[in-house]
C-alpha cells in the first residue's frame, strides 16, 4: 500500500496540443458541425431549477438531526453542487446566452454560483480559458498539479487523500502557479456570495449553511462524479493527454465526459457534443475512452505508475495572452 510510483516528473512534450489541428480537419470534412455552434437556451432553465432545488433543500434540512444533514449533503447536495460547477463551466463558454451577450453569461454565472456557498464562477472562467488555449502550459494551465503534489502524493494512501482534498487543491493551485490581479467582477462575485450566505444563515440557520458548504466540498472530493477531474487529462496511456467518458454520469454533468469533443469544439454546448461524436465518428471512436469514472478513481489510486505527475506539460513559446 505504501509503494512509491515510478514517475518522478511530468511528461514534457514539445508539440502543440492536438485539438486545434483536429478541429480544422474535422470542419473541413464535416462543415455541418458549424451549425452546432450556438447557445443552449435550455441551460438557463436547468440552472434556475437547480438553484430552486437547492433552496428547497436548504429549507428542508434546517431542522434535521446532524447525521441526516451530513447524509443528505453527500447523497443529494453533493450531486447538485458538482453538477452546478459544470453548469458554470458551460456558462464560462458563453453557452447560456451566446458570445454576443458575454456579460449576460457572467451575471448568470454569479447567480448559478449562489448555492455553492463559495465564490467561484468569475475566477473559474478566467483560468479555464487559459486551460483551453494553453493546454498543459507550464505556469499558465492551473489544471496541472504543482510539483509538490506530484512529489508528495506518490503512494496509494496519499493519492487517496489527494482525491479527498481535490477542491482545496483546485482553489489554492492558481495562487501558487499563476496568480492574477483581482477584477471588479470577482469582487462582485464575492459580495453577492457573502450576501446570499448571510441571508441563508439568517433565514434557516447553521445546518443549512453546513449542508451547502459540505455538499460542495464532498461533491468535488471523494465522489463518483469527481472521476472526471482525473479522467479528462491524466495520462493513463502514454501519448494521450485528453480522454472522453461516455457513461451515464454525463446526464448529470452537461456531457463534460465528451472531453476530446469539448476541447476540439469549446464553443459547442455540452448538449450537442454527442452529435459532434456521431458526425465525426471516424475521429473519436478509436481514441482512448472511459465508461466508468469510479473505475478511473480506483485505478488512479491503485496503479503505482499513475500519480499527479501523470500529465503532459509544455514550455510555452511566443506571446501568451491571458484573461
Amino acid at each position: 500500500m505504501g509503494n512509491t510510483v515510478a514517475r518522478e516528473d511530468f511528461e514534457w512534450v514539445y508539440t502543440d496540443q492536438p485539438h486545434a489541428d483536429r478541429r480544422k480537419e474535422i470542419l473541413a470534412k464535416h462543415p455541418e458541425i458549424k451549425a452546432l455552434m450556438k447557445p443552449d437556451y435550455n441551460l438557463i432553465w436547468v440552472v434556475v431549477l437547480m438553484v430552486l432545488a437547492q433552496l428547497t433543500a436548504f429549507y428542508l434540512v434546517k431542522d434535521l438531526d446532524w447525521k441526516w444533514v451530513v447524509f443528505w449533503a453527500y447523497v443529494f447536495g453533493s450531486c447538485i453542487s458538482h453538477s452546478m460547477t459544470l453548469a458554470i463551466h458551460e456558462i464560462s463558454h458563453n453557452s447560456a446566452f451566446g458570445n454576443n451577450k458575454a456579460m449576460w453569461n457572467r451575471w448568470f454565472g454569479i447567480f448559478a454560483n449562489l448555492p455553492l456557498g463559495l465564490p467561484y464562477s468569475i475566477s473559474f472562467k478566467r483560468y479555464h480559458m487559459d486551460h483551453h488555449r494553453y493546454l498543459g502550459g507550464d505556469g499558465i494551465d492551473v489544471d496541472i498539479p504543482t510539483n509538490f503534489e506530484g512529489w508528495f502524493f506518490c503512494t496509494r494512501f496519499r493519492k487517496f487523500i489527494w482525491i479527498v482534498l481535490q477542491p482545496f487543491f483546485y482553489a489554492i493551485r492558481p495562487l501558487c502557479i499563476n496568480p492574477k490581479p483581482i477584477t471588479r467582477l470577482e469582487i462582485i462575485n464575492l459580495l453577492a456570495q457573502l450576501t446570499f450566505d448571510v441571508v441563508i444563515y439568517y433565514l434557516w440557520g447553521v445546518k443549512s449553511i453546513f449542508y451547502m458548504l459540505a455538499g460542495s466540498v464532498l461533491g468535488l472530493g471523494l465522489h463518483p462524479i469527481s472521476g472526471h477531474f482525473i479522467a479528462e487529462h491524466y495520462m493513463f496511456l502514454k501519448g494521450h493527454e485528453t480522454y472522453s467518458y461516455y457513461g451515464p454520469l454525463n446526464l448529470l454533468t452537461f456531457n463534460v465526459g465528451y472531453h476530446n469533443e469539448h476541447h476540439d469544439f469549446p464553443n459547442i454546448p455540452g448538449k450537442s457534443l454527442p452529435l459532434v461524436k456521431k458526425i465525426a465518428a471516424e475521429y473519436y471512436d478509436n481514441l482512448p475512452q472511459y465508461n466508468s469514472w469510479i473505475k478511473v478513481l480506483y485505478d488512479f489510486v491503485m496503479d503505482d505508475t499513475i500519480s499527479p505527475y501523470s500529465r503532459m506539460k509544455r514550455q510555452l513559446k511566443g506571446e501568451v495572452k491571458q484573461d
Side-chain angles (χ1 to χ4, degrees), residues 7 10 17 23 36 43 54 58 83 88 90 95 149 152 165 170 176 194 199 214 243 269 286 289 291 299 304 319:
R7 179 171 290 279
F10 297 101
Q17 58 167 298
R23 175 167 57 251
L36 303 176
L43 177 63
Q54 279 294 69
F58 296 160
S83 184
I88 290 171
E90 287 283 290
S95 292
E149 291 170 74
F152 184 78
L165 298 178
Y170 270 98
C176 300
L194 289 175
V199 169
Y243 301 76
N286 295 322
Q289 56 189 252
N291 291 306
D299 289 346
D304 291 338
E319 186 180 4

Side-chain angles (χ1 to χ4, degrees), residues 3-8 149-150 153-156 158-160 162-163 230-231 233-238 243 290 296-311:
N3 293 338
T4 302
V5 296
R7 179 171 290 279
E8 295 180 355
E149 291 170 74
F153 295 98
C154 58
T155 68
R156 294 180 184 179
R158 292 181 189 178
K159 287 191 288 180
F160 175 81
W162 184 76
I163 289 173
I230 293 169
H233 297 293
Y234 283 80
M235 197 170 51
F236 282 80
L237 292 175
K238 188 174 177 62
Y243 301 76
Y290 300 112
V296 168
L297 291 173
Y298 177 84
D299 289 346
F300 179 82
V301 171
M302 300 304 293
D303 188 335
D304 291 338
T305 67
I306 303 295
S307 78
Y309 270 142
S310 300
R311 292 290 296 263

Side-chain angles (χ1 to χ4, degrees), residues 128-172:
H128 188 64
M129 295 305 102
D130 294 341
H131 170 65
H132 275 274
R133 291 191 195 108
Y134 308 111
L135 181 64
D138 184 35
I140 302 295
D141 184 359
V142 300
D143 194 61
I144 299 285
T146 60
N147 283 310
F148 170 78
E149 291 170 74
W151 168 76
F152 184 78
F153 295 98
C154 58
T155 68
R156 294 180 184 179
F157 176 73
R158 292 181 189 178
K159 287 191 288 180
F160 175 81
I161 297 300
W162 184 76
I163 289 173
V164 173
L165 298 178
Q166 282 262 50
F168 299 102
F169 287 114
Y170 270 98
I172 295 169

Side-chain angles (χ1 to χ4, degrees), residues 193-222:
Q193 192 63 59
L194 289 175
T195 302
F196 178 82
D197 294 352
V198 168
V199 169
I200 294 299
Y201 177 77
Y202 177 78
L203 290 176
W204 297 320
V206 69
K207 289 181 179 177
S208 296
I209 291 291
F210 177 86
Y211 166 88
M212 174 167 55
L213 297 175
S216 296
V217 172
L218 294 171
L220 297 170
L222 187 62

Side-chain angles (χ1 to χ4, degrees), residues 13 43 69 96 98 118 141 150 155 171 174 176 229 246 250 255 265 274 292 296 304 307:
V13 292
L43 177 63
V69 177
L118 297 169
D141 184 359
T155 68
C176 300
F229 288 131
Y246 299 122
N250 278 304
N255 287 328
F265 299 98
S292 171
V296 168
D304 291 338
S307 78

Side-chain angles (χ1 to χ4, degrees), residues 59-130:
Y59 172 77
L60 292 175
V61 303
K62 68 183 179 68
D63 296 320
L64 294 180
D65 289 341
W66 276 106
K67 63 182 178 182
W68 289 112
V69 177
V70 174
F71 174 82
W72 287 114
Y74 188 78
V75 171
F76 182 75
S78 63
C79 296
I80 294 289
S81 291
H82 201 139
S83 184
M84 189 63 89
T85 67
L86 294 166
I88 290 171
H89 167 254
E90 287 283 290
I91 296 165
S92 76
H93 286 282
N94 295 334
S95 292
F97 295 98
N99 291 323
N100 292 331
K101 295 181 178 178
M103 281 305 299
W104 288 39
N105 289 281
R106 302 294 77 74
W107 295 118
F108 192 56
I110 291 173
F111 168 75
N113 195 152
L114 294 177
L116 295 177
L118 297 169
Y120 160 81
S121 175
I122 299 299
S123 297
F124 172 79
K125 186 258 190 300
R126 298 178 73 199
Y127 283 104
H128 188 64
M129 295 305 102
D130 294 341

